[in-house]
Amino acid sequence: MHLNLKPRSRLRKKPNKKMRPQRLGATISLVLFLILLPVLSVAGMELLERGSLHDTMSWITSNQSLFLLNAGITFCLLIFIYALVGSLAISGAISTLLLGLMALISYMKVTMIGEPFFPWDILLNKESMDIASLVTGKAALIRIGAIIVSIIVVLALRWIIPRTTISIISRVGLGLFSLYALYAFGIKTPLAGKILDHIGVNEIVWNQQENYANNGTALAFTLNVKNSIVQKPETYSDVAIGAVAANIESVSQAQTQPAMKKASVDTLQGKKPNVIFIMSEAFWDPTLLSNVTFSEDPLPTIHRLQKESTSGYLLSPQFGGGTSNVEFEVLTGNSMSFLPGGSIPYQQYVSKPVPSLASYFAGQGYKSMGIHSYEGWFWDRNSVYKQLGFESFKSSEHFVNPETKGYFISDAEVSRNIIDEVDKTEDPMFIYTVTMQNHGPYDDPRYGENQFKAEGNLTPQAKTILETYTQGAHDADQSLQMLIDHYQNSDEPTMIVFYGDHLPMLGLDYQVYKEAGFISTSNANAWSLDEVKKMHSIPLVTWSNFDMPKQDIPLLSDSFLGAHVLDMLHMEKPANFTLNAELAAQVPGLLSNLVVDQDQTLHAEAPESAKTLIDDYRNVQYDLLFGKQYLAGYIDHDYLTKASQPSYNAEFDQPDSKLRAEGDSGSPPEAKPVSAQ
């Protein structure tokens, strides 16, 4: 056998000159695709979120540098995906999908609660799906359709654009370059900072809706990455915290009132009172709408308590959503004002034991329990409540055959569970309750025929929304009355603190508030300070079956409520709550965009006289959440460093419900599943 082997070099073909134009055309197509797709993606994102072609084009023409910077960020995303996937059309489709979803979610969030889509929202998991299920309507469906069509068009280019391939080394290089560029703008490296300053980027962290509107969705989202990490205050140090601790000790000594404490104990015959906080979902007083009247009073209990007991208004950091942020303020005494706009402390910052009212009352011999008539995973409460020092957390999974009303477990069922838990517990109880019945949306008359008819200059849709909400608010009012009726005749001293978490979202774009004349415009950025105050003020009422002096509370931030309640009970306040009370005396209302002083004067920023104390408050908050726990080295060490309870939720985690029943510690966890509809 004879093999004629020729060198491979002799078999090589000479370069075909006809192939050169094809390669040139492919290269041009590649470059055009990589340039045009990011440009069109940015334009599409802004159109999806702004909802107006005129507004979108106006922003592009007025902010060409910002527009190109947004395109540059989406270009880096496209290149990074291309480096991973290797197919131009598929990479384009994936980037189009991601950017489209970002714009869609941001649009839905702004429409619902006035906040855009943040990087940390990615961690919401089930919460995001739950929120998405509450958004319906033509506008949302059109946007979803536009995204789907765009993805199909980009995929179709696979059969039009000449196929090009680059080496693995080149792909790795492109991927690393794009990843670094995204990282640089995300954490704002010095070079990225110079670019941003040169272009004139103005990051408005305290007003994220305006931040996104001015800078563009892609850029604003990227710039918020660094806000996931809270920056250390410039004044934070061991020495500064030591000075705060000394001030707290002097204030505590001056405020000690042994005579009042003794009188309180004598009145209760030595018993410690049960302390029950009830944060009623979206509870507000619809009769405050001045241009609307109702067929009858929907809140007779609330209105009676406002005349008879300590009552007033709380200043909530939220509107329409973000319930867990209000819990965070009330339970810890910390303020959302010092955290990035749109952040969720429960999911971002509470990963270790944090001192709270729950841990404080536990240290006073109380059983601290959280009760929520929704699923325990929501806002990570299952794990967060452990870190806050609760002994147990009764979520909807542990309600037995609960009564539902509308979409969720009824407020009346929650009241029955409160009574049941107190009755079967020998120790005094601190209970933090969060209800769910009157969660939005309200456009569907889910309670059937509404008892309360609204009259005013309202569209039929707004009227339906308001009447449905008001029916639910009435049920919350009556659930409070149920508790009062029970404890009125009880020999267990009990105090109830009842309030809402935020104003309800009554229609898209503040529809009911606008039609009722409660606000002048649906543009939150144009609200006056008085309108900001109104849209964040929540009714607060208290009740007790033992004598307590009546107090009027014109306005008090949620973060100061705990200190106020401890004062009402004549209980010695721990260090951080002592500081809260001192600040509240000067600045009772504190939001990122509104400060209310002791004379109820409204300010856009803190007055000079209060800035030093506010800095102390910020430093202590940073020390407790992120810092080196300097404060615990000076004062209240045991409270400030208290670990979570080792037996957390043991009573509800028993695999055998009979064991739990025999232990007389509650009902077996066989609750019916509850989901948002």
Side-chain angles (χ1 to χ4, degrees):
M1 181 181 294
H2 175 72
L3 296 176
N4 185 15
L5 299 177
K6 297 182 179 180
R8 291 182 62 86
S9 60
R10 294 182 181 179
L11 297 176
R12 291 176 182 170
K13 294 181 180 180
K14 295 181 179 180
N16 188 345
K17 294 182 179 180
K18 293 182 179 180
M19 296 294 293
R20 293 177 181 173
Q22 294 179 3
R23 292 178 180 175
L24 179 61
T27 302
I28 294 174
S29 299
L30 172 64
V31 172
L32 287 175
F33 183 85
L34 293 176
I35 293 176
L36 291 178
L37 184 61
V39 168
L40 293 175
S41 294
V42 172
M45 290 176 69
E46 298 304 320
L47 180 59
L48 284 175
E49 186 157 4
R50 297 170 193 271
S52 166
L53 181 60
H54 176 269
D55 290 346
T56 301
M57 294 307 299
S58 177
W59 176 78
I60 292 174
T61 54
S62 302
N63 302 276
Q64 295 180 15
S65 297
L66 287 173
F67 174 71
L68 292 176
L69 185 54
N70 276 266
I73 288 173
T74 58
F75 169 80
C76 290
L77 175 65
L78 174 61
I79 287 297
F80 178 70
I81 297 173
Y82 177 60
L84 296 176
V85 176
S87 169
L88 204 58
I90 293 177
S91 302
I94 293 174
S95 68
T96 300
L97 172 62
L98 293 177
L99 296 171
L101 287 176
M102 180 192 299
L104 177 64
I105 295 172
S106 193
Y107 157 76
M108 292 192 297
K109 280 195 65 186
V110 168
T111 302
M112 290 178 65
I113 60 175
E115 291 182 348
F117 181 54
F118 301 112
W120 44 87
D121 286 337
I122 297 171
L123 302 175
L124 295 184
N125 301 323
K126 288 184 178 181
E127 289 92 327
S128 295
M129 297 304 296
D130 187 77
I131 291 172
S133 68
L134 300 179
V135 178
T136 57
K138 183 179 178 181
L141 294 177
I142 290 175
R143 284 167 169 80
I144 293 172
I147 294 171
I148 294 173
V149 170
S150 299
I151 293 171
I152 293 174
V153 169
V154 174
L155 283 174
L157 294 176
R158 189 177 185 184
W159 287 273
I160 299 175
I161 300 176
R163 295 188 178 182
T164 58
T165 57
I166 62 174
S167 66
I168 294 295
I169 295 177
S170 298
R171 282 171 55 185
V172 171
L174 285 175
L176 292 175
F177 166 77
S178 58
L179 186 61
Y180 174 76
L182 292 172
Y183 165 82
F185 283 100
I187 68 166
K188 199 174 181 180
T189 62
L191 177 58
K194 290 181 180 179
I195 296 173
L196 294 171
D197 292 339
H198 178 73
I199 292 176
V201 175
N202 181 23
E203 190 179 4
I204 312 171
V205 295
W206 60 89
N207 190 332
Q208 289 288 350
Q209 189 174 350
E210 186 175 348
N211 191 34
Y212 277 58
N214 290 354
N215 294 319
T217 301
L219 177 58
F221 181 90
T222 304
L223 292 176
N224 265 316
V225 170
K226 68 181 182 302
N227 291 332
S228 299
I229 303 174
V230 178
Q231 297 296 319
K232 181 174 70 173
E234 294 180 358
T235 56
Y236 175 70
S237 68
D238 190 356
V239 174
I241 294 297
V244 174
N247 174 62
I248 290 173
E249 285 188 317
S250 63
V251 170
S252 296
Q253 293 173 2
Q255 292 181 347
T256 300
Q257 301 172 338
M260 293 182 65
K261 292 181 181 179
K262 185 176 185 301
S264 176
V265 172
D266 288 344
T267 301
L268 304 181
Q269 298 179 340
K271 290 185 177 181
K272 294 181 178 180
N274 299 308
V275 181
I276 302 172
F277 279 62
I278 302 174
M279 191 170 73
S280 183
E281 170 60 38
F283 185 82
W284 182 65
D285 186 352
T287 66
L288 293 175
L289 296 171
S290 55
N291 295 335
V292 174
T293 59
F294 292 91
S295 54
E296 56 182 296
D297 184 0
L299 306 179
T301 304
I302 298 298
H303 292 155
R304 186 185 75 250
L305 292 178
Q306 287 176 335
K307 298 176 182 178
E308 299 174 353
S309 304
T310 293
S311 62
Y313 288 89
L314 294 177
L315 194 62
S316 171
Q318 301 297 132
F319 170 84
T323 298
S324 69
N325 288 355
V326 181
E327 289 176 53
F328 170 78
E329 285 208 343
V330 174
L331 284 168
T332 68
N334 294 321
S335 175
M336 292 298 301
S337 303
F338 305 137
L339 299 174
S343 58
I344 310 292
Y346 272 21
Q347 295 188 306
Q348 294 174 256
Y349 313 130
V350 185
S351 57
K352 63 178 183 179
V354 174
S356 75
L357 288 175
S359 60
Y360 169 76
F361 275 98
Q364 301 298 312
Y366 281 69
K367 176 180 180 180
S368 292
M369 173 182 280
I371 297 179
H372 183 30
S373 51
Y374 198 58
E375 298 173 29
W377 54 261
F378 207 69
W379 299 123
D380 285 343
R381 285 188 180 92
N382 275 333
S383 59
V384 169
Y385 275 24
K386 178 180 181 179
Q387 305 293 7
L388 294 181
F390 283 96
E391 179 178 333
S392 55
F393 174 39
K394 187 174 188 178
S395 54
S396 66
E397 298 93 322
H398 307 300
F399 282 56
V400 180
N401 298 318
E403 173 194 43
T404 60
K405 195 162 187 180
Y407 303 147
F408 307 104
I409 291 177
S410 71
D411 287 350
E413 181 70 20
V414 174
S415 291
R416 285 190 285 268
N417 273 266
I418 292 173
I419 293 170
D420 181 57
E421 294 298 335
V422 172
D423 285 350
K424 64 180 60 171
T425 304
E426 292 185 4
D427 293 332
M429 293 195 74
F430 167 75
I431 298 180
Y432 195 90
T433 313
V434 183
T435 70
M436 191 68 178
Q437 178 188 322
N438 212 22
H439 195 289
Y442 313 103
D443 48 358
D444 176 27
R446 65 196 197 214
Y447 301 121
E449 181 67 24
N450 292 319
Q451 174 184 350
F452 303 93
K453 305 300 180 183
E455 296 295 335
N457 188 23
L458 301 173
T459 61
Q461 182 185 39
K463 187 173 185 294
T464 297
I465 291 171
L466 180 57
E467 289 178 350
T468 299
Y469 169 78
T470 301
Q471 184 66 54
H474 172 74
D475 290 345
D477 177 276
Q478 293 304 290
S479 72
L480 173 59
Q481 185 61 52
M482 179 191 298
L483 289 174
I484 293 174
D485 291 341
H486 175 80
Y487 289 109
Q488 187 78 59
N489 301 314
S490 172
D491 60 357
E492 289 225 30
T494 302
M495 178 186 186
I496 298 173
V497 183
F498 183 94
Y499 55 97
D501 50 355
H502 50 69
L503 270 73
M505 191 190 73
L506 300 178
L508 302 181
D509 294 324
Y510 310 99
Q511 180 183 3
V512 171
Y513 300 104
K514 179 65 170 59
E515 292 185 18
F518 194 69
I519 53 176
S520 59
T521 174
S522 58
N523 180 8
N525 296 324
W527 289 346
S528 65
L529 291 179
D530 186 60
E531 287 175 316
V532 172
K533 174 187 171 184
K534 289 198 301 182
M535 294 298 282
H536 288 270
S537 295
I538 313 296
L540 162 72
V541 295
T542 66
W543 178 88
S544 63
N545 58 5
F546 54 91
D547 290 337
M548 298 188 77
K550 182 182 186 304
Q551 301 177 37
D552 292 323
I553 305 173
L555 196 69
L556 189 69
S557 278
D558 283 314
S559 56
F560 301 147
L561 176 61
H564 193 87
V565 170
L566 294 180
D567 279 337
M568 292 176 67
L569 292 169
H570 307 306
M571 298 179 73
E572 185 176 352
K573 298 186 295 296
N576 55 327
F577 286 94
T578 299
L579 180 61
N580 289 7
E582 185 183 7
L583 179 58
Q586 292 188 34
V587 182
L590 182 63
L591 297 180
S592 59
N593 59 343
L594 173 67
V595 178
V596 184
D597 65 23
Q598 68 269 30
D599 297 322
Q600 296 302 302
T601 303
L602 309 185
H603 306 266
E605 59 182 35
E608 285 294 330
S609 59
K611 285 186 177 180
T612 299
L613 201 53
I614 290 176
D615 284 343
D616 290 345
Y617 184 28
R618 184 197 302 269
N619 285 335
V620 167
Q621 176 169 319
Y622 182 86
D623 186 61
L624 297 177
L625 292 177
F626 315 106
K628 297 183 178 181
Q629 282 72 56
Y630 291 135
L631 186 63
Y634 294 98
I635 187 173
D636 280 351
H637 180 271
D638 292 342
Y639 162 72
L640 294 174
T641 60
K642 189 174 183 179
S644 58
Q645 300 200 43
S647 60
Y648 170 72
N649 237 24
E651 63 179 299
F652 295 120
D653 291 339
Q654 290 279 6
D656 186 348
S657 61
K658 290 183 180 180
L659 291 176
R660 186 171 184 274
E662 291 172 0
D664 194 30
S665 55
S667 304
E670 299 176 356
K672 295 179 180 178
V674 179
S675 61
Q677 300 178 16

